[in-house]
Amino acid sequence: MAAGAGLLVGRSPYGQWFRFRAGRLVIGTNKSRSHDVALGAATAKVLAGHRPETETMIGTAASSREADKLRKSRQLYVAVCEGGRGVGGLEGIGEFSGR
């Protein structure tokens, strides 16, 4: 039964996303904050210069919180977020306390 479930996950949109992303670095940004999108695009350009074998691109989310959720679920490796949110996540304070 577990093997069957594994095969189904590979064919699901979630599995297809992981195959799509295998050779790509997607940077999540908050689409409602234009400077976040610009920072994500600039970061993608710099990373593309350092990792030419990997296609870099930005993906937009409804909010910084949503971009961070995508990063936590490993759908993204990088998310652009507000400074306080980033510090809280790194130090385990605020909404991130205990994590």
Side-chain angles (χ1 to χ4, degrees):
M1 195 159 151
L7 291 173
L8 289 176
V9 170
R11 299 218 182 270
S12 72
Y14 195 69
Q16 291 173 359
W17 169 250
F18 277 98
R19 280 194 302 283
F20 169 79
R21 208 194 54 174
R24 296 168 179 86
L25 175 62
V26 182
I27 300 168
T29 64
N30 179 351
K31 68 180 176 183
S32 63
R33 296 171 51 112
S34 61
H35 57 278
D36 283 4
V37 176
L39 179 60
T43 303
K45 185 176 180 179
V46 169
L47 291 174
H50 290 283
R51 303 212 40 193
E53 73 283 359
T54 303
E55 182 181 349
T56 57
M57 62 184 70
I58 63 167
T60 58
S63 66
S64 296
R65 178 176 289 232
E66 292 300 317
D68 192 43
K69 284 181 183 178
L70 292 170
R71 185 198 53 78
K72 285 180 196 171
S73 68
R74 298 182 183 231
Q75 294 181 52
L76 300 172
Y77 289 127
V78 179
V80 175
C81 63
E82 293 90 0
R85 183 169 189 75
V87 170
L90 287 172
E91 297 186 4
I93 57 176
E95 69 179 279
F96 299 99
S97 64
R99 293 190 239 172

